Amino acid sequence: MKRFTGILYFCATTFYCCSSFAQTSEQVISRHLLKLFESIDEVSYDDSASIVAVLTGNRNLKNYIDKTFTSDPATLQMKFPELKEVLKYTSSRDRKIRAYSWESGINGNEMSFLQFQAGDKTKIIWNTKVSDLTDAGSLAFVYNYSYSSITSVKTKLGKTVYLLIYEMQFPRVHERQEIIDAYAIDHGKLEPVYFFRTTKHQLSSISYSHDGQGSIPDADSEIHLSDDKKTLYIPIVKDYYVTDKFLVYKFDGNNYVFDKNAK
């Protein structure tokens, strides 16, 4: 009986230590990230040293994320409450994909990336490069990414497809694009899925452009899914302004198919 009690005490102690380590791991990562974010305050453009410091801060952030978020899969589940003012993210309900972004402090550009589960590891795909932040010539080609949602849809064949809805914005002009992309995690890669069927094409992505300063008819005048995920709505744009009408796609179990008769 004495020996059995000892085993129970050992197991309880081991569980407590493991739980403490998991909590400490998130706290350590959060504290280090917060320190790195503090190094990328708004740049002073008349001070070359300030520009270099902010660029270096973004590069250090990227390097730390590359190392930590791929070597520690638990980061995909971490909530980072201490970083809610500086780090934005949205996750799929099954927590297998997450999109992050933060303000770089230079030229209105943001840094952004996707993190996804790949077997027992996680991988990262970057949308922006640190080198683009001060390249005036690249501003015409670099967008800021703002992810609003990641929704998972199961097909009849049991395949999970992830629908990423996000907005792309030029840092210094009014034009905006809203996009929905379809992806699947396949053999450790995030692969596009041809999930949207029009009258002529099979697409993995749908987008539209509009005047970013134009008024939006209502809160639903964006790309969105019905509550049951059976219907996809794509806003119709006229004269570069968003209207209150939509192109409607119905889910048939394998694809979202354009319904020309839907109103």
Side-chain angles (χ1 to χ4, degrees):
M1 185 69 179
K2 186 175 181 180
R3 181 182 177 188
F4 180 69
T5 302
I7 292 173
L8 283 178
Y9 175 78
F10 174 77
C11 291
T13 303
T14 302
F15 176 78
Y16 173 79
C17 290
C18 291
S19 298
S20 298
F21 176 78
Q23 293 175 0
T24 302
S25 176
E26 180 167 356
Q27 291 171 352
V28 168
I29 292 172
S30 294
R31 282 196 294 266
H32 192 74
L33 282 171
L34 189 58
K35 184 177 179 180
L36 290 170
F37 278 118
E38 290 172 351
S39 71
I40 58 168
D41 288 337
E42 195 70 30
V43 69
S44 173
Y45 290 101
D46 57 358
D47 182 0
S48 59
S50 171
I51 296 174
V52 171
V54 174
L55 272 175
T56 301
N58 277 286
R59 188 174 295 109
N60 289 340
L61 252 172
K62 180 183 182 300
N63 291 342
Y64 181 73
I65 288 170
D66 278 334
K67 178 181 178 181
T68 308
F69 283 46
T70 55
S71 63
D72 186 352
T75 53
L76 190 57
Q77 318 298 329
M78 294 180 182
K79 297 182 179 180
F80 304 117
E82 304 91 341
L83 305 175
K84 63 181 180 180
E85 299 299 325
V86 289
L87 181 65
K88 298 178 289 185
Y89 69 82
T90 185
S91 306
S92 60
R93 181 168 291 184
D94 63 8
R95 298 184 179 182
K96 292 186 177 181
I97 300 182
R98 184 182 279 183
Y100 302 81
S101 64
W102 72 84
E103 293 183 7
S104 71
I106 293 181
N107 287 332
N109 289 84
E110 291 189 352
M111 300 290 291
S112 58
F113 67 94
L114 299 175
Q115 181 186 20
F116 64 97
Q117 183 176 313
D120 58 353
K121 300 179 181 180
T122 59
K123 293 183 179 180
I124 285 176
I125 298 174
W126 287 91
N127 293 322
T128 49
K129 299 178 182 178
V130 173
S131 60
D132 290 332
L133 300 180
T134 56
D135 183 357
S138 73
L139 287 179
F141 307 101
V142 176
Y143 283 93
N144 288 338
Y145 291 70
S146 178
Y147 290 88
S148 58
S149 65
I150 303 176
T151 303
S152 60
V153 177
K154 189 83 75 173
T155 69
K156 290 179 180 178
L157 300 177
K159 183 176 184 177
T160 300
V161 179
Y162 297 93
L163 303 178
L164 281 66
I165 299 177
Y166 59 101
E167 188 177 75
M168 293 171 62
Q169 173 190 1
F170 285 117
R172 290 188 175 182
V173 297
H174 301 157
E175 180 181 347
R176 293 175 184 265
Q177 290 185 3
E178 194 181 16
I179 305 102
I180 180 169
D181 289 342
Y183 287 101
I185 300 173
D186 188 16
H187 294 90
K189 295 182 179 180
L190 195 59
E191 299 284 5
V193 177
Y194 289 88
F195 207 48
F196 312 113
R197 187 188 302 162
T198 71
T199 54
K200 295 182 179 180
H201 302 285
Q202 193 87 1
L203 307 173
S204 64
S205 178
I206 300 176
S207 66
Y208 68 93
S209 298
H210 66 99
D211 184 341
Q213 291 191 329
S215 61
I216 304 297
D218 55 59
D220 286 332
S221 295
E222 299 174 340
I223 295 176
H224 65 280
L225 293 160
S226 60
D227 291 340
D228 60 5
K229 299 188 285 190
K230 299 295 185 183
T231 308
L232 170 65
Y233 299 91
I234 308 293
I236 294 175
V237 175
K238 183 177 181 180
D239 297 328
Y240 209 43
Y241 290 94
V242 180
T243 71
D244 59 357
K245 295 180 172 55
F246 298 90
L247 300 175
V248 178
Y249 290 75
K250 297 288 187 178
F251 188 57
D252 67 359
N254 289 309
N255 296 274
Y256 282 92
V257 182
F258 175 61
D259 184 352
K260 65 180 180 181
N261 297 317
K263 295 182 180 180

